[in-house]
Amino acid sequence: MKRYNIFYEEHKGLRIMLYETAIQIQQTDFINNEEAVLVMEQIKNGVELFDKHAHSEDRFVFAAIKPYEPAVVDAFEQEHVKDHALGENLAKLLDEFSNAVSDDEKLRNGNLLYKAFIEFMIFNLQYMAKEEDIINKILWRHYTDEDLKSITAGIIANIPPVKMGQFTKWMMRGLSNHEIAGWLKEVKNTAPEFVFESFMQTASEQLNTQRLQLVQEAITEGVMVV
């Protein structure tokens, strides 16, 4: 029987954020101030999302398994410390870039930013894969899917609206059409109408015309999408 993956949607969103940000950094002309500002803002927002994600995991997910596997929790929390250090290094490099004056300084600092972000990305891709393997197995041994969905609800309730909007944006970009349709159907059936409308607005902003049409058809007519 397929079990509920507490990390699935959010990790898909975080992964595509990493992929798209890496591409944006690689394509940025750091001498061009407008391009540089845009990519620096995306890096800053990305680091903040990972910090919020780690905090939610510490508070809700790891707290749920600590009574059963305290050594595993300690090991993963140490990984969060390393992740935070990588994010702090990116923040320092962003400050240094902001203070760069000459074109040579900007190009040099832009290259350092790219290398540091790749290190951040590789660490987090490996870490998320390890979570989905090790942590999920522990959760499945001790909790039902309904229990895990309650944990997810607690996480969502404690994410500030602005951050929730950012997570939602990336999840829309990272999930398949079928997954988005299922997610939106659940929101439509369980949440207030204004919440569903806000999610549909995000979908219209993040999905291309063809994808959005397929998702809308699946929601209104029950058509399977691929």
Side-chain angles (χ1 to χ4, degrees):
M1 183 182 77
K2 185 178 180 181
R3 294 295 309 273
Y4 175 69
N5 182 347
I6 199 170
F7 302 107
Y8 188 78
E9 287 87 358
E10 194 166 352
H11 277 187
K12 266 203 160 186
L14 290 170
R15 285 189 186 101
I16 199 166
M17 184 275 293
L18 291 171
Y19 303 151
E20 291 194 9
T21 303
I23 291 170
Q24 187 176 345
I25 299 171
Q26 188 168 299
Q27 294 176 343
T28 293
D29 176 2
F30 283 95
I31 297 174
N32 183 307
N33 186 62
E34 185 176 342
E35 289 185 28
V37 168
L38 285 174
V39 79
M40 287 194 295
E41 185 66 19
Q42 182 146 324
I43 294 170
K44 177 175 176 290
N45 289 339
V47 170
E48 289 176 353
L49 285 182
F50 269 97
D51 276 346
K52 178 59 184 171
H53 179 64
H55 177 72
S56 295
E57 287 180 340
D58 288 342
R59 182 176 175 187
F60 293 95
V61 180
F62 294 164
I65 67 171
K66 193 160 190 173
Y68 306 103
E69 298 283 357
V72 173
V73 171
D74 288 343
F76 273 85
E77 286 179 340
Q78 285 305 307
E79 300 249 31
H80 278 174
V81 172
K82 182 177 180 180
D83 188 35
H84 183 71
L86 291 171
E88 287 289 301
N89 183 51
L90 278 169
K92 178 176 73 71
L93 291 172
L94 288 172
D95 285 340
E96 290 177 1
F97 184 89
S98 297
N99 294 323
V101 177
S102 70
D103 288 351
D104 285 345
E105 284 181 303
K106 292 177 181 179
L107 289 173
R108 181 180 65 83
N109 289 346
N111 188 50
L112 290 174
L113 260 177
Y114 178 64
K115 290 179 178 178
F117 187 83
I118 294 301
E119 184 180 6
F120 179 82
M121 179 177 73
I122 291 171
F123 174 86
N124 276 290
L125 289 174
Q126 292 174 336
Y127 177 78
M128 286 189 287
K130 194 159 37 172
E131 278 187 323
E132 292 191 30
D133 179 25
I134 298 171
I135 301 299
N136 266 335
K137 287 175 182 175
I138 298 171
L139 289 169
W140 294 337
R141 279 201 300 270
H142 299 287
Y143 294 95
T144 67
D145 284 356
E146 289 306 311
D147 293 332
L148 298 180
K149 289 176 182 179
S150 293
I151 293 174
T152 297
I155 292 171
I156 292 171
N158 281 272
I159 297 176
V162 171
K163 283 287 179 286
M164 190 66 235
Q166 293 171 352
F167 278 121
T168 302
K169 163 193 166 181
W170 289 112
M171 286 188 283
M172 287 288 183
R173 294 168 79 102
L175 294 170
S176 71
N177 296 337
H178 178 68
E179 290 164 343
I180 293 170
W183 179 24
L184 291 175
K185 281 182 183 178
E186 186 172 355
V187 171
K188 185 175 184 179
N189 292 332
T190 61
E193 180 67 19
F194 75 90
V195 175
F196 174 71
E197 291 299 330
S198 71
F199 274 55
M200 286 302 302
Q201 178 62 34
T202 302
S204 69
E205 293 168 355
Q206 301 304 322
L207 303 179
N208 63 37
T209 302
Q210 182 182 21
R211 293 191 69 195
L212 181 62
Q213 182 177 348
L214 287 169
V215 168
Q216 288 173 327
E217 288 174 354
I219 294 170
T220 58
E221 301 173 17
V223 176
M224 293 296 293
V225 293
V226 294

